[in-house]
């Protein structure tokens, strides 16, 4: 600290001796006192002295204050005093600074004390740990002290915090503090922390900083918020600017969509406070950070796409066309819209469709161009409109064509009711305002940038100069104005337009050289020895003449390449020409314009070069220099090489076309091949099916041959062949016999079924007429029961016969299938040796005849089998019907049995009554006998009646027996 003491000693107005002693005593009390209250009071006293006697307190007390921070953490009050004292020592925020020297000395003291504090990195780590304390008197001064350290020696403090464990995370917690003072100062701290440090920016971004900051901005009212919104926006700028990782994270986190409400300013013409203007200005700058031309093209285009999809571009265009917007906000909005649409076709097309709210509606581009060529508009606004027009045309051939088409005779509005973009550009190009001339020339040059088609189209533009005079071309009018000796800014703008127009366009070069006054004018301008102001014009004239040589197709005999180079050598000199050409890139404003696409100039006098033109100069300066120094032989060789290359290109193009055609033919052939393959597969499948069918027919044919061989003795070889294959000719006869048996069985079953039907009918008729007395009903029920038992037995017999027949039919079908399978391998019969061809033919005919007969017979057998199957099914149905009838009869029999039982019970009751009556009669008879009455006749009658009753009892007993 010797240098600090030297500074203190060199001060003319230092503190009194008593005050220095007081500071020393207070430091001793802090260091040696055992009571906490004494140390706290001493630190409070040092705090009160630290603002006025900053140097002395800093020299003597800093070590003691740091020691207090380490040892007295339990007392928040003394920690707060110590932090405040350190902040007063290190901070340069003094309320009164009258002289510049005192200000510089104060800044120097702050950086020196900061260097002392961070010399021990543990001090910064200690400060970070203190920020975890929730106590307001500790956290707030700690935040201010760390912010001051970052302002003084930012990179060194950033590095210490970066390597500190959880250092950045602790600071991020400040944004979540419920006390606005700490939260707002935390934002300022993070601003200083993230400045120019990509690593810390990434950590802060991934600690959810975007979400928290956007929440704070929304809570504070977006653009209507206070200075806190501005601080948050500046912090967002620090995190996003020149940090591709954070920009990508911001886009993928859908945070661009949350920016749209910022620009919802409404239709109010008032309410634009200074803070709102500042907030909106920073918001627009933040949008530009995401779509800056210096960002990677892929990242820029993805952000442009997101801004269009979420409606942010539409919101900006609304502000652009609104009334009552402050000039600086309008200017920045134009610049922002420019970069949002630059190089992105969808956004450019949308911007072309935007109309201003006028009557009648006009395209926004026309309204902006009207501002650009109006000399009464602010300079920065005119520059912004030019940048917007350039961005609209950047890599937008469609837009370029639309602008040039407004200049062509066929599209100009003859009524003159509406003003087009092309008319405004021509009006600005030939106005008396040099700035309008320059802006219009540069704007028109951008409509031709890298677009040979529009360069040729612009040659058709004709201008009416005055009444009675014929119209002149736009190209000729530009050269006429050049020769009239206008202002330097106007001539520079026209020369840049002509250089852009003629480059890479031999037709335009030919039109330019066709005017015999153009080349002498250029050579005269280059050859003269003019002042420094005219050197730039001379360099541009040399560039235009060099373009006329390099892109010359030698179509004009008087201005061929060689003749122009000879003219330069005679009138100017090659070395002098190259020197004048170098004036362009050596100009002080050239390098400034080549850095950024935006035309950002402090004043109109600095508006000389266009960014795209500087790229053209860089591209052409070297090739023009080589072209000037080339000899005629080299030119001839180069021409030959060019022709060869053109021929080569034409050959390559021809072969490319051939290859393209062959590729198309190849694709067609591939499709045909695939179609043919599918057809081939289908045909193969059909052939396979036909082959299998043919084989089946062959097998049937061989089987029939075997059958014929049994009857024909001349076909012994066939029967032998069939026996060799395991097929016996007797099997066919056996099949026929079995079929006959099945037929007979079928007829028998039908006859039995008819009998059963008649029996069922009889039963029904007998049931319909029941007996009148009990004896006949009992007899009928006995007969019914016997018939039902017989029916059940016969039905079981029929079922068993049907089952056996179905088994036999299945067995026969299986044997037939085996016979067919056995005949599959049967080969064609070999001719018998010794027989003539005629005999063989006759035999073949005979065999074929028999074969057809056998086929017919086989077909008939199949039909008979089918008919038998159908009959069997019908019989089965009839049996099912008879079963149901038997079930009905069984139910009726059960009912009859119940009736018989009831009648028997009634007879028993009657017999009991009769017995009682007989007993009574017998007793009465005995009494009559005792009384002496005669009873003989009645006894005889009773005996006769008893005989009759006994006969009836015997008959009833017989009837009840079978039941």
């Amino acid at each position: 600290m010797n240098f600090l003491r030297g500074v203190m000693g060199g001060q003319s107005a230092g503190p009194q001796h008593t005050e220095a002693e007081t500071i020393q005593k207070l430091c001793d009390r802090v260091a040696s006192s055992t009571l906490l209250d004494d140390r706290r009071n001493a630190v409070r006293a040092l705090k009160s002295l630290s603002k006025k006697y900053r140097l002395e307190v800093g020299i003597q007390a800093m070590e003691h204050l740091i020691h207090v921070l380490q040892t007295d953490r339990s007392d928040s009050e003394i920690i707060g005093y110590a932090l405040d004292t350190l902040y007063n020592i290190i901070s340069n925020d003094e309320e009164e600074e009258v002289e510049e020297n005192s200000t510089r000395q104060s800044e120097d003291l702050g950086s020196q004390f900061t260097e002392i504090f961070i010399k021990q990195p543990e001090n910064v780590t200690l400060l970070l740990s203190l920020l975890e304390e929730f106590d307001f008197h500790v956290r707030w001064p700690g935040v201010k002290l760390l912010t001051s350290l970052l302002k003084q020696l930012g990179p060194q403090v950033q590095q210490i915090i970066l390597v500190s464990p959880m250092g950045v995370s602790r600071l991020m917690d400040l944004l979540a503090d419920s006390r606005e003072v700490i939260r707002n100062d935390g934002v300022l701290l993070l601003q200083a922390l993230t400045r120019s440090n990509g690593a810390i920016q990434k950590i802060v971004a991934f600690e959810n900083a975007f979400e928290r900051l956007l929440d704070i901005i929304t809570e504070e009212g977006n653009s209507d918020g206070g200075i806190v919104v501005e601080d948050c926006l500046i912090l967002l700028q620090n995190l996003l600017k020149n940090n591709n990782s954070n920009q990508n994270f911001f886009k993928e986190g859908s945070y661009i969509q949350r920016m749209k409400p910022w620009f919802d300013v409404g239709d109010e013409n008032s309410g634009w406070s200074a803070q709102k203007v500042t907030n909106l200005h920073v918001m627009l700058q933040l949008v530009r950070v995401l779509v800056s031309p210096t960002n990677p093209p892929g990242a820029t285009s993805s952000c442009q796409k997101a801004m269009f999809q979420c409606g942010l571009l539409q919101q900006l265009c609304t502000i652009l066309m609104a009334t009552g917007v402050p000039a600086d906000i309008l200017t920045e909005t134009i610049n922002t819209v420019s970069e949002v649409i630059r190089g992105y076709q969808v956004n450019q097309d949308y911007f072309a469709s935007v109309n201003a709210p006028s009557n009648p509606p006009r395209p926004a581009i026309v309204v902006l161009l009207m501002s650009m060529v109006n000399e009464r508009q602010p300079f920065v606004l005119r520059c912004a409109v030019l940048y917007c027009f350039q961005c609209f045309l950047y890599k937008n051939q469609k837009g370029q064509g639309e602008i040039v088409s407004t200049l062509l005779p066929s599209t100009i509005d003859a009524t003159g009711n509406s003003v087009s973009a092309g008319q405004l550009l021509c009006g600005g190009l030939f106005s008396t305002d040099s700035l309008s001339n320059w802006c219009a020339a540069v704007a028109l040059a951008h409509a031709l940038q890298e677009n040979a088609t529009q360069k040729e189209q612009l040659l058709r533009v004709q201008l009416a100069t005055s009444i009675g005079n014929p119209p002149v071309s736009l190209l000729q009018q530009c050269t006429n104005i050049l020769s009239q000796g206008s202002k330097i800014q106007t001539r520079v703008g026209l020369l840049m337009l002509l250089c852009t127009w003629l480059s890479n366009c031999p037709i335009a070069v030919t039109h330019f050289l066709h005017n015999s006054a153009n080349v002498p004018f250029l050579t005269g301008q280059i050859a003269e020895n003019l002042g420094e102001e005219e050197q730039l014009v001379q360099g541009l004239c040399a560039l235009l003449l060099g373009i006329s040589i390099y892109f010359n197709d030698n179509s004009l005999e008087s201005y061929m390449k060689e003749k122009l180079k000879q003219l330069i050598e005679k009138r100017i000199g090659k070395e002098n020409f190259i020197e004048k050409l170098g004036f362009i890139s050596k100009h002080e404003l050239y390098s400034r314009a080549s850095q950024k696409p935006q035309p950002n100039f402090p004043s109109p006098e600095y508006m000389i070069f266009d960014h795209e033109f500087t790229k053209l100069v860089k591209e052409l300066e070297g090739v023009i220099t080589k072209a000037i120094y080339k000899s005629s032989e080299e030119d001839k060789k180069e021409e030959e090489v060019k022709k060869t290359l053109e021929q080569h290109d034409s050959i390559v193009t021809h072969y490319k076309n051939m290859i393209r055609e062959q590729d198309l033919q190849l694709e067609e052939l591939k499709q045909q091949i695939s179609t043919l393959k599918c057809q081939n597969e289908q045909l193969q499948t059909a052939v396979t099916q036909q082959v299998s069918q043919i084989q089946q027919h062959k097998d049937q044919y061989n089987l029939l041959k075997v059958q014929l061989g049994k009857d024909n003795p001349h076909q012994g070889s066939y029967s032998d062949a069939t026996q060799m294959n395991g097929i016996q000719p007797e099997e066919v006869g056996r099949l026929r016999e079995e079929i006959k048996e099945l037929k007979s069985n079928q007829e028998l079953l039908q006859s039995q079924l008819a009998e059963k039907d008649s029996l069922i009918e009889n039963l029904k008729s007998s049931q319909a007429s029941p007996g009148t007395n009990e004896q006949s009903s009992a007899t009928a029920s006995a007969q019914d029961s016997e018939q039902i038992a017989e029916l059940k037995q016969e039905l079981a017999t029929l079922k068993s016969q049907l089952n056996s027949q179905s088994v036999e039919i299945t067995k026969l079908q299986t044997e037939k299938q085996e016979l067919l399978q056995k005949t599959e391998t049967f080969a064609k019969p070999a001719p018998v040796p010794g027989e003539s061809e005629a005999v063989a033919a006759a035999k073949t005919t005979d065999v074929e005849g028999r074969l057809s007969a056998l086929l017919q017979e086989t077909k008939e057998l199949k039909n008979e089998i089918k008919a038998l199957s159908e009959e069997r099914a019908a019989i089965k149905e009839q049996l099912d019907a008879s079963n149901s009838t038997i079930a009905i009869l069984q139910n009726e029999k059960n009912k009859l049995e119940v009736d018989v039982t009831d009648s028997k019970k009634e007879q028993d009751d009657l017999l009991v009554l009769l017995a009682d009556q007989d007993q009574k009669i017998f007793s009465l008879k005995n009494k009559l006998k005792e009384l002496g009455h005669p009873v003989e006749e009645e006894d005889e009658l009773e005996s006769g009646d008893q005989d009759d009753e006994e006969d009836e009892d015997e008959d009833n007993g017989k009837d009840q027996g079978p039941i």
Side-chain angles (χ1 to χ4, degrees):
M1 290 188 289
N2 291 330
F3 66 94
L4 291 176
R5 293 190 177 93
V7 172
M8 178 182 172
Q11 287 181 340
S12 57
Q16 298 296 326
H17 185 66
T18 55
E19 293 163 350
E21 290 178 352
T22 302
I23 295 171
Q24 184 63 45
K25 289 179 180 178
L26 291 173
C27 293
D28 293 340
R29 286 177 60 188
V30 172
S32 59
S33 179
T34 57
L35 294 177
L36 180 60
D37 291 338
D38 291 344
R39 295 199 302 274
R40 186 190 304 119
N41 293 332
V43 174
R44 184 191 297 116
L46 288 173
K47 173 189 172 184
S48 62
L49 294 172
S50 59
K51 286 188 177 180
K52 189 175 181 179
Y53 303 107
R54 176 183 177 191
L55 178 61
E56 292 74 17
V57 174
I59 292 173
Q60 300 184 44
M62 181 174 285
E63 293 182 1
H64 302 295
L65 294 172
I66 294 173
H67 184 72
V68 168
L69 296 178
Q70 294 172 347
T71 57
D72 291 329
R73 292 190 60 172
S74 59
D75 186 69
S76 59
E77 191 174 358
I78 190 173
I79 295 294
Y81 293 146
L83 291 172
D84 283 331
T85 307
L86 289 172
Y87 172 74
N88 293 335
I89 295 170
I90 292 173
S91 174
N92 292 326
D93 299 335
E94 295 184 4
E95 295 180 359
E96 296 181 359
E97 293 183 2
V98 248
E99 297 182 0
E100 185 178 355
N101 291 333
S102 62
T103 304
R104 290 179 180 176
Q105 183 179 3
S106 174
E107 292 177 354
D108 189 48
L109 280 177
S111 60
Q112 290 173 355
F113 282 127
T114 302
E115 187 176 355
I116 294 171
F117 185 84
I118 68 172
K119 191 172 183 181
Q120 299 294 330
E122 296 82 7
N123 295 339
V124 179
T125 307
L126 175 63
L127 186 56
L128 289 173
S129 65
L130 290 173
L131 291 179
E132 293 181 351
E133 298 290 337
F134 188 73
D135 193 295
F136 180 82
H137 298 288
V138 176
R139 179 172 275 195
W140 187 40
V143 170
K144 293 194 296 181
L145 176 58
L146 188 56
T147 305
S148 181
L149 291 173
L150 286 165
K151 287 180 180 179
Q152 298 293 343
L153 293 175
Q156 294 90 326
V157 180
Q158 286 174 344
Q159 192 61 32
I160 296 172
I161 295 175
L162 189 61
V163 299
S164 176
M166 299 296 290
V168 179
S169 300
R170 293 173 183 172
L171 300 180
M172 287 299 300
D173 293 337
L174 299 174
L175 295 181
D177 200 303
S178 58
R179 295 160 294 191
E180 289 189 2
V181 177
I182 296 178
R183 184 199 67 185
N184 298 343
D185 283 349
V187 173
L188 296 176
L189 170 60
L190 290 172
Q191 280 184 21
L193 179 66
T194 57
R195 191 172 291 118
S196 303
N197 193 305
I200 294 180
Q201 290 170 1
K202 292 179 182 178
I203 296 173
V204 171
F206 283 95
E207 288 283 347
N208 206 22
F210 293 139
E211 184 77 28
R212 296 183 184 181
L213 292 173
L214 292 173
D215 289 341
I216 294 173
I217 293 172
T218 304
E219 291 170 4
E220 295 292 328
N222 294 328
S223 59
D224 294 322
I227 195 172
V228 180
V229 173
E230 180 185 355
D231 293 336
C232 291
L233 291 169
I234 293 173
L235 177 55
L236 285 172
Q237 276 192 8
N238 289 351
L239 296 175
L240 293 173
K241 195 170 185 177
N242 300 323
N243 194 316
N244 299 328
S245 175
N246 284 2
Q247 290 176 7
N248 189 46
F249 180 65
F250 190 84
K251 175 183 67 68
E252 291 181 352
S254 300
Y255 296 120
I256 292 178
Q257 287 80 344
R258 297 187 61 178
M259 298 170 72
K260 182 188 174 185
W262 296 355
F263 305 101
D264 188 10
V265 295
D267 297 329
E268 302 175 354
N269 295 331
S270 60
W272 290 90
S273 63
Q275 187 60 52
K276 180 175 181 178
V277 171
T278 303
N279 290 343
L280 203 55
H281 197 275
V282 182
M283 288 173 177
L284 292 168
Q285 288 179 344
L286 187 60
V287 175
R288 294 183 64 185
V289 166
L290 295 171
V291 292
S292 173
T294 58
N295 294 341
T300 300
S301 61
S302 60
C303 290
Q304 289 172 330
K305 179 180 179 181
M307 289 177 183
F308 176 76
Q309 291 177 344
C310 73
L312 180 58
L313 174 60
Q314 294 84 330
Q315 198 74 31
L316 293 174
C317 290
T318 303
I319 298 176
L320 193 66
M321 295 291 106
T323 56
V325 180
D328 52 347
I329 294 298
L330 181 60
T331 302
E332 191 63 25
T333 304
I334 295 173
N335 289 327
T336 304
V337 171
S338 305
E339 294 183 351
V340 172
I341 68 173
R342 186 177 189 269
Y344 191 70
Q345 188 68 49
V346 176
N347 293 5
Q348 290 169 337
D349 292 343
Y350 170 77
F351 183 71
S353 66
V354 175
N355 288 324
S358 60
N359 190 15
R362 289 179 176 175
I365 297 174
V366 173
V367 176
L368 292 174
L369 288 178
M370 292 172 68
S371 301
M372 186 185 74
V373 297
N374 187 353
E375 56 183 317
R376 288 176 294 181
Q377 292 292 338
F379 173 67
V380 290
L381 179 63
R382 299 173 74 181
C383 290
V385 173
L386 176 61
Y387 184 46
C388 184
F389 191 73
Q390 292 174 351
C391 291
F392 170 67
L393 297 178
Y394 182 70
K395 293 184 179 180
N396 184 10
Q397 293 192 354
K398 178 183 176 183
Q400 290 175 330
E402 291 174 353
I403 297 298
V404 173
S405 66
T406 59
L407 287 164
L408 299 179
S410 59
T411 57
I412 294 177
D413 187 4
T415 62
N417 293 331
S418 61
V419 181
S420 66
Q423 291 173 341
L424 288 171
L425 290 176
C426 283
L429 195 62
F430 306 122
S431 71
T432 56
D433 179 30
S434 60
L435 184 59
S436 297
N437 301 153
W438 191 91
C439 290
V442 170
L444 199 54
H446 277 264
L448 307 175
Q449 199 75 38
E450 297 180 358
N451 196 328
T453 303
Q454 303 309 323
K455 291 178 182 179
E456 296 177 7
Q457 288 292 321
L458 201 61
L459 295 172
R460 297 170 49 201
V461 177
Q462 299 291 321
L463 302 176
T465 54
S466 59
I467 300 175
N469 293 328
V472 297
S473 66
L474 177 62
L475 184 64
Q476 182 60 43
Q477 185 65 16
C478 291
T479 56
N480 291 340
I481 296 174
L482 275 176
S483 60
Q484 292 173 4
S486 53
K487 295 181 181 179
I488 291 180
Q489 194 172 36
T490 301
R491 285 182 287 163
V492 168
L494 290 172
L495 285 168
M496 287 194 298
L497 171 61
L498 291 174
C499 290
T500 305
W501 194 347
L502 269 60
S503 62
N504 294 294
C505 187
I507 298 176
V509 172
T510 302
H511 278 71
F512 179 77
L513 296 177
H514 194 269
N515 187 350
S516 58
N518 289 339
V519 174
F521 168 74
L522 293 177
T523 54
Q525 288 287 320
I526 300 169
E528 290 183 7
N529 292 321
L530 302 175
E532 292 183 1
E533 295 181 355
E534 295 291 334
Q535 286 183 353
L536 178 58
V537 176
Q538 287 183 319
L540 293 171
C541 289
L543 178 64
L544 182 58
L545 186 56
I547 290 173
S548 301
I549 295 173
Y550 185 72
F551 294 103
N552 193 343
D553 58 357
N554 293 326
S555 58
L556 292 176
E557 186 177 353
S558 57
Y559 291 108
M560 297 177 68
K561 283 186 177 182
E562 187 59 31
K563 290 184 178 180
L564 288 175
K565 287 196 289 187
Q566 291 175 1
L567 184 64
I568 289 174
E569 189 172 0
K570 289 179 181 179
R571 296 192 180 181
I572 305 172
K574 292 183 179 180
E575 290 78 9
N576 191 23
F577 179 86
I578 300 303
E579 182 183 358
K580 298 292 177 68
L581 183 63
F583 285 164
I584 302 174
S585 57
K586 292 178 182 177
H587 198 277
E588 57 182 354
L589 298 178
Y590 175 87
S591 59
R592 181 172 182 174
S594 63
Q595 292 174 0
K596 293 182 178 180
Q598 182 182 359
N600 188 11
F601 305 103
S603 63
E605 293 78 18
Y606 290 89
M607 203 174 215
I608 297 296
F609 287 108
D610 174 57
H611 176 74
E612 293 296 329
F613 179 74
T614 59
K615 293 162 66 176
L616 181 66
V617 172
K618 188 176 181 180
E619 177 186 349
L620 295 178
E621 186 176 7
V623 296
I624 289 174
T625 303
K626 291 180 181 178
I628 294 298
Y629 280 108
K630 283 180 182 177
S631 61
S632 58
E633 296 179 356
E634 291 177 346
D635 283 339
K636 289 179 181 179
K637 290 181 180 179
E638 187 175 353
E639 288 294 331
E640 292 176 358
V641 170
K642 282 186 178 180
K643 290 180 180 179
T644 305
L645 289 175
E646 289 176 358
Q647 293 176 357
H648 177 72
D649 291 340
S650 63
I651 293 171
V652 170
T653 306
H654 174 67
Y655 278 113
K656 283 182 179 179
N657 293 332
M658 286 181 60
I659 292 170
R660 195 174 294 111
E661 292 175 359
Q662 290 175 356
D663 287 339
L664 294 175
Q665 293 176 359
L666 196 60
E667 289 296 326
E668 293 177 358
L669 291 174
K670 284 181 179 179
Q671 292 178 357
Q672 292 178 3
I673 288 171
S674 61
T675 306
L676 291 174
K677 281 183 177 179
C678 294
Q679 293 178 357
N680 186 24
E681 291 176 357
Q682 294 175 357
L683 291 174
Q684 285 182 353
T685 305
V687 168
T688 305
Q689 293 176 355
Q690 291 177 359
V691 167
S692 63
Q693 291 177 359
I694 291 169
Q695 187 64 37
Q696 290 177 2
H697 292 313
K698 285 182 179 180
D699 295 339
Q700 293 176 0
Y701 177 73
N702 293 330
L703 179 62
L704 293 173
K705 281 184 178 180
V706 171
Q707 293 175 354
L708 287 173
K710 179 180 178 182
D711 300 330
N712 191 359
H714 298 287
Q715 300 295 330
S717 60
Y718 297 115
S719 62
D720 295 339
T722 55
Q723 290 176 0
M724 288 175 64
N725 285 280
I727 300 172
Q728 299 298 329
E730 291 81 2
E731 291 182 359
V732 178
R734 184 170 58 82
L735 288 172
R736 290 178 181 175
E737 293 175 357
E738 290 179 355
I739 290 171
K740 289 180 180 179
E741 291 178 0
L742 288 173
K743 286 183 178 180
S744 61
N745 292 333
Q746 182 72 19
E747 293 173 356
L748 178 62
L749 289 172
Q750 286 179 350
S751 63
Q752 291 177 356
L753 184 62
E755 293 176 358
K756 302 309 173 189
D757 289 337
S758 62
L759 181 60
I760 290 169
E761 290 295 330
N762 294 330
L763 288 172
K764 287 182 178 179
S765 61
S766 63
Q767 184 181 358
S769 57
T772 56
N773 53 24
E774 295 175 359
Q775 184 177 359
S776 62
S777 65
T779 305
S781 62
Q783 292 176 356
D784 289 341
S785 61
E786 291 176 357
Q787 289 176 354
I788 288 169
E790 292 176 357
L791 282 173
K792 286 184 177 180
Q793 186 175 0
E794 291 177 358
L795 182 62
T797 306
L798 286 173
K799 286 184 178 180
S800 63
Q801 289 178 358
L802 281 175
N803 291 331
S804 62
Q805 287 179 359
S806 63
V807 171
E808 289 179 357
I809 290 171
T810 305
K811 183 177 180 182
L812 288 173
Q813 289 178 349
T814 306
E815 290 177 354
K816 179 185 174 183
Q817 189 67 27
E818 291 176 355
L819 286 173
L820 291 175
Q821 292 177 355
K822 289 178 180 179
T823 56
E824 287 181 356
T825 56
F826 184 74
K828 291 184 179 180
V832 179
E835 292 184 348
S836 64
E837 295 180 357
V839 175
K843 288 182 178 181
T844 303
T845 304
D846 188 12
V847 168
E848 289 178 352
R850 294 186 179 186
L851 177 62
S852 61
L854 286 173
L855 288 173
Q856 185 66 25
E857 187 177 356
T858 304
K859 187 175 181 182
E860 292 176 356
L861 290 174
K862 289 182 179 178
N863 293 333
E864 290 178 359
I865 292 172
K866 184 177 181 182
L868 288 174
S869 300
E870 293 176 355
E871 291 177 358
R872 176 176 174 272
I875 291 171
K876 189 175 181 181
E877 291 178 357
Q878 293 175 358
L879 285 176
D880 293 336
S882 63
N883 286 334
S884 63
T885 305
I886 290 170
I888 293 170
L889 292 175
Q890 184 68 30
N891 292 332
E892 293 177 352
K893 177 193 171 188
N894 294 334
K895 290 180 180 178
L896 290 173
E897 289 178 350
V898 171
D899 293 338
V900 169
T901 305
D902 293 338
S903 62
K904 186 177 180 181
K905 287 181 180 179
E906 290 176 358
Q907 289 176 0
D908 292 338
D909 293 337
L910 289 173
L911 289 173
V912 171
L913 289 173
L914 288 172
D916 292 338
Q917 289 176 358
D918 289 340
Q919 187 65 31
K920 287 179 182 181
I921 291 169
F922 183 74
S923 61
L924 289 173
K925 282 180 180 182
N926 290 332
K927 286 180 180 182
L928 288 173
K929 286 178 180 181
E930 290 176 359
L931 293 174
H933 290 284
V935 290
E936 293 178 356
E937 294 178 359
E938 291 178 0
D939 292 340
E940 292 175 358
L941 291 173
E942 289 176 358
S943 63
D945 293 335
Q946 287 177 357
D947 293 334
D948 293 336
E949 289 174 2
E950 288 175 0
D951 294 335
E952 289 176 3
D953 291 337
E954 289 176 1
D955 294 334
N956 290 333
K958 290 179 180 179
D959 293 334
Q960 291 174 0
I963 296 172

